[in-house]
């Protein structure tokens, strides 16, 4: 019931998009700060191989527009669509495939896949749409146990994992550019307290980066290596990019759902996609929150091709 309520609320908002008398909780801008329509995103997506839809994980506007974009491209692109998401780890691919082929029931899928707490409200509608329409759905993220391994030991130590384990990760060695602003910010001394990642932790749900700094009062506790923390973020981005590239098909559009931080500023997943395939055509979408929807704040300019600006007062899904 909660899922349908969210979709109904979203449909009302979407249908009233052009009404000047309606106080909508979001607006859409291009990277230069010009206000655009949702149809502009759809049109632009048709000209790209990959759409990285950056979301706030607990924001219903993000999820509603992801669902609307999926349906629109499914209808306009002759059903040539592939879906994938950060919210599903690569070692869950078999379970997804079995569920889509009706070899296991929803009960076993929900029990055995590592589903996020907000799966039922925020991701199940797209999973069910893909299943009903026989679309491929790719689990792109690195298993969190391996991201945690990198956060403790660094990227170089991934070579110690078994060949079987390495099947679920981007090919080794994973390139890491510590000068990219996304990763450099995580290596600053106060990164775990004041970085964009920590400020968005409720939205991005990046498990390997939610590690708390040890209390200064306990000098016996080992301080985390901030370079390793950044490398853990990078291996997530690299792995998601790898499985997107691996599953691309000619004339298909791959829609990928991920936290905005994984693709903002054309870094993260986008950067790794182009390391593997420099000619790949990628459209990026970001979600931000602002006090005012009148214009795109300067700090949010050029972070993506399209930016969905949501009122900070918008209700969260969890």
């Amino acid at each position: 019931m909660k899922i349908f309520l969210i979709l109904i609320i979203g449909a009302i908002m979407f249908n009233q998009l052009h009404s000047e008398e309606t106080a909508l909780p979001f607006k859409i801008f291009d990277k230069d700060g010009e206000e655009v329509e949702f149809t502009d995103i759809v049109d632009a997506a048709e000209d790209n191989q990959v759409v990285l839809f950056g979301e706030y994980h607990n924001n219903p506007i993000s999820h509603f527009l992801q669902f609307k974009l999926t349906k629109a491209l499914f209808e306009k692109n002759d059903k040539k669509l592939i879906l994938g998401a950060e919210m599903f780890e690569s070692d869950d691919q078999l379970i997804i495939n079995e569920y889509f082929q009706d070899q296991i029931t929803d009960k076993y899928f929900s029990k055995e896949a590592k589903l996020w707490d907000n799966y039922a409200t925020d991701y199940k509608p797209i999973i069910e749409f893909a299943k009903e329409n026989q679309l491929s759905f790719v689990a792109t993220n690195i298993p969190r146990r391996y991201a945690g391994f990198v956060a403790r030991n660094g990227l170089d130590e991934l070579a110690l994992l078994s060949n079987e384990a390495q099947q679920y990760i981007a090919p080794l060695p994973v390139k890491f550019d510590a000068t990219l602003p996304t990763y450099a910010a995580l290596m600053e001394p106060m990164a775990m307290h004041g970085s964009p990642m920590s400020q968005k932790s409720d939205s991005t749900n990046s498990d390997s980066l939610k590690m708390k700094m040890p209390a200064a009062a306990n000098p016996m506790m080992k301080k985390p290596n901030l370079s390793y923390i950044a490398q853990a973020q990078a291996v997530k981005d690299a792995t998601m990019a790898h499985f997107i590239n691996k599953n691309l098909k000619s004339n298909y559009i791959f829609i990928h759902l991920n936290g905005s931080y994984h693709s903002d500023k054309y870094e993260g997943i986008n950067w790794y996609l182009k390391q593997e395939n420099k000619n790949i055509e990628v459209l990026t979408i970001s979600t931000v929150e602002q006090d005012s929807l009148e214009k795109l704040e300067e700090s949010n300019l050029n972070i993506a091709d399209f930016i969905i600006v949501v009122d900070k007062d918008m209700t969260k899904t969890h």
Side-chain angles (χ1 to χ4, degrees):
M1 179 62 72
K2 190 173 181 181
I3 299 171
F4 292 110
L5 179 60
I6 292 171
L7 292 176
I8 290 171
I9 292 172
I12 293 172
M13 293 188 297
F14 190 78
N15 289 333
Q16 294 177 334
L17 187 59
H18 300 289
S19 173
E20 295 181 357
E21 299 178 357
T22 302
L24 290 173
F26 75 97
K27 285 186 178 180
I28 304 173
F29 297 87
D30 66 16
K31 63 182 180 180
D32 298 318
E34 294 294 322
E35 187 173 352
V36 299
E37 306 290 344
F38 173 75
T39 53
D40 293 316
I41 296 181
V42 177
D43 292 342
E46 286 189 281
D47 296 328
N48 287 271
Q49 296 169 277
V50 177
V51 177
L52 298 178
F53 200 128
E55 62 171 51
Y56 274 13
H57 296 321
N58 58 2
N59 190 287
I61 300 299
S62 293
H63 302 303
F64 170 67
L65 292 180
Q66 287 168 344
F67 193 78
K68 292 294 293 185
L69 180 61
T70 298
K71 291 184 67 176
L73 290 177
F74 177 77
E75 294 167 359
K76 293 188 68 176
N77 199 49
D78 194 29
K79 304 181 181 180
K80 292 182 178 180
L81 205 62
I82 303 169
L83 302 177
E86 169 198 357
M87 303 82 202
F88 297 88
E89 298 170 24
S90 56
D91 58 349
D92 277 332
Q93 189 64 60
L94 176 62
I95 300 173
I96 292 174
N97 294 346
E98 290 172 342
Y99 178 56
F100 275 34
Q101 295 165 15
D102 292 321
Q103 295 173 350
I104 61 172
T105 64
D106 178 72
K107 173 184 175 181
Y108 288 106
F109 173 72
S110 300
K111 182 179 179 179
E112 297 190 23
K114 297 184 291 293
L115 302 180
W116 286 16
D117 292 342
N118 59 326
Y119 167 75
T121 56
D122 299 339
Y123 305 111
K124 187 171 184 176
I126 282 189
I127 279 284
E128 294 301 325
F129 180 85
K131 183 176 184 293
E132 291 167 9
N133 290 285
Q134 299 180 320
L135 301 178
S136 295
F137 196 102
V138 183
T140 62
N141 207 355
I142 185 173
R144 66 192 68 182
R145 60 188 181 274
Y146 301 140
F149 177 88
V150 173
R152 296 190 304 273
N153 304 291
L155 281 170
D156 291 342
E157 297 300 300
L158 284 173
L160 298 177
L161 297 179
S162 67
N163 291 337
E164 182 179 2
Q166 291 180 29
Q167 294 177 24
Y168 302 116
I169 306 171
L172 303 184
V174 174
K175 185 176 181 180
F176 175 63
D177 185 346
T179 67
L180 290 173
T182 298
Y183 305 136
L186 293 171
M187 293 187 287
E188 294 174 0
M190 292 300 292
M192 303 310 291
H193 294 293
S195 74
M197 190 65 216
S198 65
Q199 293 168 12
K200 291 185 177 183
S201 62
D202 289 340
S203 301
T204 55
N205 197 32
S206 188
D207 294 321
S208 67
L209 300 175
K210 284 187 172 180
M211 300 167 62
K212 294 182 180 297
M213 291 287 280
N218 188 350
M220 299 301 294
M221 292 183 67
K222 181 181 178 182
K223 290 185 178 181
N225 184 316
L226 295 182
S227 177
Y228 291 173
I229 298 297
Q231 289 175 35
Q233 173 78 357
V235 77
K236 284 172 170 278
D237 296 335
T239 299
M240 287 188 272
H242 168 67
F243 284 109
I244 292 171
N245 267 320
K246 183 178 179 179
N247 288 278
L248 287 178
K249 293 181 181 179
S250 179
N251 298 320
Y252 276 68
I253 301 172
F254 194 124
I255 300 179
H256 188 263
L257 315 183
N258 52 264
S260 290
Y261 198 77
H262 287 287
S263 53
D264 276 356
K265 302 177 183 178
Y266 304 96
E267 296 178 15
I269 302 169
N270 184 76
W271 188 84
Y272 277 105
L273 281 171
K274 294 187 175 181
Q275 294 302 302
E276 189 173 335
N277 181 359
K278 66 179 181 180
N279 295 318
I280 193 170
E281 298 168 325
V282 183
L283 181 79
T284 60
I285 302 168
S286 184
T287 303
V288 301
E289 292 182 346
Q290 294 184 178
D291 290 316
S292 171
L293 304 183
E294 290 305 308
K295 66 177 183 178
L296 188 64
E297 294 177 0
E298 186 174 352
S299 61
N300 292 323
L301 290 168
N302 296 302
I303 63 173
D305 296 309
F306 293 99
I307 301 97
I308 301 164
V309 180
V310 181
D311 192 312
K312 280 189 175 179
D313 293 330
M314 182 66 202
T315 303
K316 305 295 191 290
T317 59
H318 70 286

